[in-house]
Structures are given as C-alpha cells and as structure tokens.
Amino acid sequence: MEALRWNKLVNNVLDAAEEHQLWVPGDRIVVAVSGGPDSVAFLHIMHEISTRHVPLELICAHVHHGFRIESDHEAEMMKELAHRLGIAFEWVKADVPSYMKLTGQGSQEAARNKRYEFLHEVAVKYDAASIALAHHADDQAETVMLHLLRGSGLSGLAGMKFKRREKNVELIRPCLRINKTDLVEACNTQGFLYFNDESNSLRKYRRNAIRLDVLPFLGQYNGQLTPSLNRLAEIVGDEDDFIEQGAYDAYRCLVQANGGRQTFEVPSFLKLHVALQRRLIKLILNYLPLDSDFVDFTRIETIRRKVIQPDATTWSLDIGQTLACTREYDLISFGIRTDVQDQSYEYRLAQWSGTYELSLAEIDRHVRIVPMSPEDYHVPESADHAAFDADQLLMPLVVRSRLPGDTMKVMGLNGSKKVKNIFIDEKIPPSVRSRVPVVCDGAGNVIWLPGVRRSSVAPVREDTSAILYMTVGDSAIQG
C-alpha cells in the first residue's frame, strides 16, 4: 500500500511535467528545499524521477533565514540528505532581519525575496534550466483565497502557474495537484526526516490565518473547498492566458514605441472589447518604469475611462512616478512627463549666396533656403516645403520662436488668423507646437509655419523671375 501511494505521487509529478512541459531529459534543475515535509518529500520524488524515469541533474538549494536557532541544525541535516542522495548542495545564511531594516519589508516578504534571490544565484552558477518549488494544492488554495480577499482580477485568481519564466529561468511547480497531507504522509511512511517551522502556526501572518481560520470556516459549506479553488485556478489560468495573448496581439497591431513613449490611436482602441482595453493599458504600463504594485485596477480603469470620453480632444493625465498619459486629438501617448518650456530664439537672414542652411539648435531642427530660377521650380509636395517670389519678399527674413498673439494671412482666406487657431484647425498636437518655427519677412509678417501652412505673402506666379524655395527638417535626420 505504501509503495502504491508513493508511486502515485511520483506519477502525479511525471504527469504534470509532461502536460506542462516542465523539463526535458538532461535538464539541470535547482530544487528548493526548506526542510519542511513538503519540500523534503518533493526532493525525494525528484530524485527518484531523475534516477528511474528521466535523466535530470539536481541541485539541492537551502536558505537559512537567520530567524531561529534550530535553523543551523536544519541546514546541516539538509546537507546530509543531499549528500546521501548524491545531489549537489548549496546553501546560504541570509541575514533577513538586517534586510528587513534596510528595506522596511515585513519578515515574510523579506524572507521570500532573499530566498528567491539565492535560488536565482544558484541557477546562474549551475546554468540551470529551472528552479523547482514544492508548492502544492493547499498552497494554491491559500493563494487563490488570499488574492480573492485582496480584490484581485483574473491573473490573481489563476494563482500559481505550473511554469513561469523569471530572470531567464523557469520556475516550475510540479506538485500543484498534490495535497499537503499526501506529502506529509509520504515522509512519515517512507521515514524521511523533516522539520516543522513553528512560525507557520502564527496567525499574525495573513496566509497562516487563511490556512488556519478562513479555509476551515468556509469548508463547513463546501467539503471540497480546496479542490474547488484549485479547479478555479486552472480554469481561470487558461482563460487568463487566452486574454493575455489577445492583449499581446492587440499591442503588436495597435501600439507604436517611439522615443521611449508608447502610443496608440483612439479609434482602434475603441473597437476592442472592454476586457482587452484594460489588458492593453496594463501591458503598456508594465513596459514603463513603474513599480509592479503600482499598476492596479483603479489606475488602469481611470486611464481607460479617460481615453473613451467622446468629447475630449487634448488632455494630460498624471499617472504618478513622473509618468503621464496624454491625448492629442486621436493619439494616446504614455511616457515620462515632459513639461515643455518654450525656448526663445531668433535668427535674421539679410542676404546669402547659394543654398543657405540654418540650424535651429533650440528645437533640433533646421531650415534650408535655396534660390532658384522658375525653370528649376517644382510645386511643393508637402507643408514641409514652401516657395516664395523672392522679389516680393521684404528683407531681412527672420526665423524665430512663436510669440503670443502671432497671426498669419492664410492663402485662400481673407484677413488674418491666429497662429494658435491654425494649430488647432490643423490638429497639431500641443507637444509638437513648440518645435514649429515661425518664418517672418522684414515687415514682421508671418509668411510660413514650416510643416503646417504658408501665408498668402509673395506667392509664385507666372511672371515670377526669382524664387526662394524653403524646406524644414529634423537636424538628426538631415544633418
């Protein structure tokens, strides 16, 4: 009977490994062993698998957290166990109390961080393919309940995954369908030495309180609560993966990454289902330099509702940590908040011979002026080009920054129009307007807004004998 139960545990792990592709023959795997019954039984299971089923190279890794005096003895016993099994052993005495003072973290969070830090160090040292953890079905039920009480979304209710990549190493959990009682029983019947951590009975830790109080209480109403929570985790996990893949597909189709900013167009975003809208925003935020716990539902939903407002055209939403989400007409942009300070500049061009290049260092752009004959003239192809009758222009020309109250006589329109309104009509984003220079003639008339519009001053006609042809471009591109 004992052999049958043991073989059932081994086969359970083998089935999980095959279903979730947890390893391939020859893999080097770091097995995390705390000294408790779960991890001790798991190490023995992995040892049997590596010697009788699949050739694997195991490394036993143990962390002494520095809290309890008996931890010295436990570390020594784990070293002896690994030696008896012929498995390499690595351990560290982590000064968790000092780390807590340094970071301000609680004991469990600090211990976890130091533990995973060491496991990754061992994985790097041995060039391991994965780190194997002994989390079981009861741990999964606790995790799902913990996340449920925190108000988690699908990703939290999915609990722990059988396989998850972290820092170029797979974290694998082959025991997620095994109950803790089965692992403890295996240790007792097989004679495996293990230790009980008394801190697991302290209700001051939330996870312990859930295990000792919440789950037993709810178990009165559902005798299969732990299996039910595990089924929920598996179902939700698969559906979460499906939606997440949809979010990645939407990201590839809709989002552009330019200069450290993530941008997308509003019409395309509005076509997405609300679930994908939220996931897409979350994905974008995860690509930005934000703390992981900073990306929560409230922040995501605030951004989403702002984006879908039908009447808004331009706004900026401070989302914290020096980041902002901005809308400029139909373009949404995420990135470092830039409070643009307009720089004042002015360049006077009295005369020149041949082609003249003017570098506008303040806005990293340049203006090129080319005198030409009517025979060489061609009609400007875009607003980045403009042609003027040279004999009709008053000198000197001035290229300067925009001033409050600037107006321009627009070609085809009687009277003048404020430059600010021209920008609005042409839907020039506010973040771009500071990079549009103003070209004036000798009388102070605005004759050209490079890249936007030209004025009605000095147009090229059939009787024009000399032409000034102007272009504007980015210095980084043109230079």
Side-chain angles (χ1 to χ4, degrees):
M1 179 64 71
E2 293 176 4
L4 288 175
R5 289 177 178 174
W6 176 251
N7 290 334
K8 183 178 179 180
L9 289 180
V10 173
N11 289 330
N12 191 309
V13 171
L14 284 170
D15 290 343
E18 181 179 1
E19 179 182 347
H20 297 280
Q21 300 179 341
L22 301 185
W23 55 64
V24 296
D27 269 0
R28 191 173 292 132
I29 302 175
V30 177
V31 183
V33 181
S34 66
D38 316 337
S39 60
V40 168
F42 180 50
L43 180 64
H44 282 278
I45 292 172
M46 291 298 294
H47 176 256
E48 176 158 330
I49 288 174
S50 68
T51 55
R52 297 188 180 183
H53 299 274
V54 182
L56 301 170
E57 182 180 344
L58 306 180
I59 302 96
C60 177
H62 175 78
V63 178
H64 180 319
H65 292 109
F67 286 123
R68 299 175 295 118
I69 297 176
E70 56 267 30
S71 295
D72 293 332
H73 176 60
E74 293 171 6
E76 188 61 34
M77 294 301 294
M78 290 304 99
K79 180 179 180 180
E80 293 179 8
L81 171 60
H83 179 71
R84 287 200 307 273
L85 296 177
I87 299 173
F89 181 74
E90 295 285 340
W91 79 291
V92 68
K93 187 171 184 178
D95 189 356
V96 177
S98 295
Y99 183 71
M100 290 169 59
K101 293 180 181 179
L102 179 65
T103 62
Q105 296 175 352
S107 58
Q108 288 199 324
E109 181 184 7
R112 181 188 184 281
N113 289 340
K114 295 299 289 184
R115 183 165 61 250
Y116 277 85
E117 178 184 298
F118 174 67
L119 293 174
H120 280 287
E121 289 174 358
V122 175
V124 171
K125 177 179 178 179
Y126 286 86
D127 192 24
S130 59
I131 297 170
L133 305 164
H135 294 121
H136 45 70
D138 296 77
D139 290 326
Q140 182 74 302
E142 293 168 16
T143 299
V144 173
M145 183 57 64
L146 184 65
H147 290 169
L148 180 63
L149 294 176
R150 288 175 176 171
S152 174
L154 281 184
S155 297
L157 296 182
M160 297 176 285
K161 296 183 180 296
F162 279 90
K163 180 169 66 173
R164 179 173 67 86
R165 194 156 189 83
E166 181 179 281
K167 296 181 180 178
N168 297 320
V169 177
E170 298 287 356
L171 300 183
I172 61 174
R173 296 179 171 90
C175 296
L176 285 181
R177 293 195 182 116
I178 299 175
N179 294 324
K180 180 182 179 68
T181 53
D182 293 327
L183 295 171
V184 174
E185 183 182 31
C187 286
N188 293 335
T189 57
Q190 299 293 326
F192 302 152
L193 179 64
Y194 64 87
F195 304 95
N196 285 311
D197 186 347
E198 294 180 357
S199 67
N200 289 331
S201 63
L202 298 178
R203 285 175 166 80
K204 68 178 182 178
Y205 300 123
R206 182 172 297 183
R207 180 178 284 274
N208 290 353
I210 288 174
R211 180 176 68 255
L212 299 172
D213 298 326
V214 177
L215 292 178
F217 175 78
L218 295 176
Q220 299 177 86
Y221 305 96
N222 182 353
Q224 296 294 311
L225 181 60
T226 293
S228 296
L229 291 174
N230 276 267
R231 283 196 300 273
L232 173 65
E234 287 212 40
I235 294 171
V236 169
D238 291 337
E239 295 182 0
D240 181 58
D241 289 342
F242 178 77
I243 297 177
E244 193 71 3
Q245 185 58 54
Y248 277 107
D249 292 341
Y251 181 90
R252 285 192 293 269
C253 292
L254 306 185
V255 181
Q256 299 291 326
N258 297 310
R261 302 188 70 81
Q262 309 277 331
T263 62
F264 62 78
E265 294 184 352
V266 173
S268 299
F269 181 81
L270 295 178
K271 294 177 182 178
L272 298 176
H273 188 280
V274 61
L276 281 180
Q277 290 178 353
R278 292 184 181 127
R279 286 298 182 105
L280 181 61
I281 292 173
K282 180 181 179 181
L283 189 57
I284 291 172
L285 294 179
N286 285 335
Y287 282 126
L288 298 175
L290 284 166
D291 294 339
S292 58
D293 59 353
F294 190 78
V295 183
D296 57 17
F297 174 81
T298 301
R299 182 163 283 102
I300 292 170
E301 188 66 359
T302 298
I303 295 170
R304 190 188 73 84
R305 289 182 178 276
K306 188 76 172 174
V307 171
I308 66 175
Q309 286 180 353
D311 300 328
T313 55
T314 60
W315 45 257
S316 180
L317 177 65
D318 189 338
I319 57 178
Q321 297 189 6
T322 74
L323 296 171
C325 172
T326 61
R327 176 168 182 169
E328 296 174 332
Y329 301 108
D330 279 342
L331 189 68
I332 299 295
S333 176
F334 294 79
I336 300 296
R337 188 174 65 247
T338 54
D339 302 321
V340 178
Q341 298 293 325
D342 292 334
Q343 296 192 56
S344 178
Y345 57 89
E346 180 178 297
Y347 297 89
R348 302 178 70 84
L349 310 174
Q351 57 183 359
W352 57 88
S353 58
T355 299
Y356 184 84
E357 302 277 356
L358 173 61
S359 177
L360 307 176
E362 294 83 358
I363 57 174
D364 196 28
R365 307 196 79 187
H366 87 282
V367 174
R368 189 168 188 253
I369 301 176
V370 183
M372 64 173 56
S373 65
E375 291 77 16
D376 298 323
Y377 170 70
H378 53 88
V379 178
E381 298 177 355
S382 71
D384 289 338
H385 303 247
F388 300 88
D389 187 322
D391 295 328
Q392 298 297 317
L393 281 178
L394 296 176
M395 295 298 176
L397 294 184
V398 175
V399 181
R400 60 168 173 80
S401 53
R402 185 161 59 101
L403 298 174
D406 272 344
T407 61
M408 185 174 78
K409 295 179 180 179
V410 180
M411 184 171 286
L413 181 68
N414 292 326
S416 298
K417 192 171 187 177
K418 288 185 177 180
V419 170
K420 177 181 178 181
N421 292 335
I422 294 175
F423 284 153
I424 293 174
D425 291 346
E426 296 293 329
K427 295 188 176 181
I428 305 300
S431 61
V432 175
R433 295 173 190 174
S434 63
R435 298 193 70 233
V436 178
V438 175
V439 181
C440 303
D441 64 10
N445 299 310
V446 176
I447 65 171
W448 187 35
L449 298 173
V452 183
R453 292 286 295 272
R454 67 148 289 160
S455 73
S456 60
V457 174
V460 175
R461 304 181 187 278
E462 290 185 2
D463 59 350
T464 297
S465 60
I467 296 172
L468 287 183
Y469 195 84
M470 305 183 194
T471 64
V472 66
D474 295 336
S475 296
I477 298 175
Q478 300 292 340

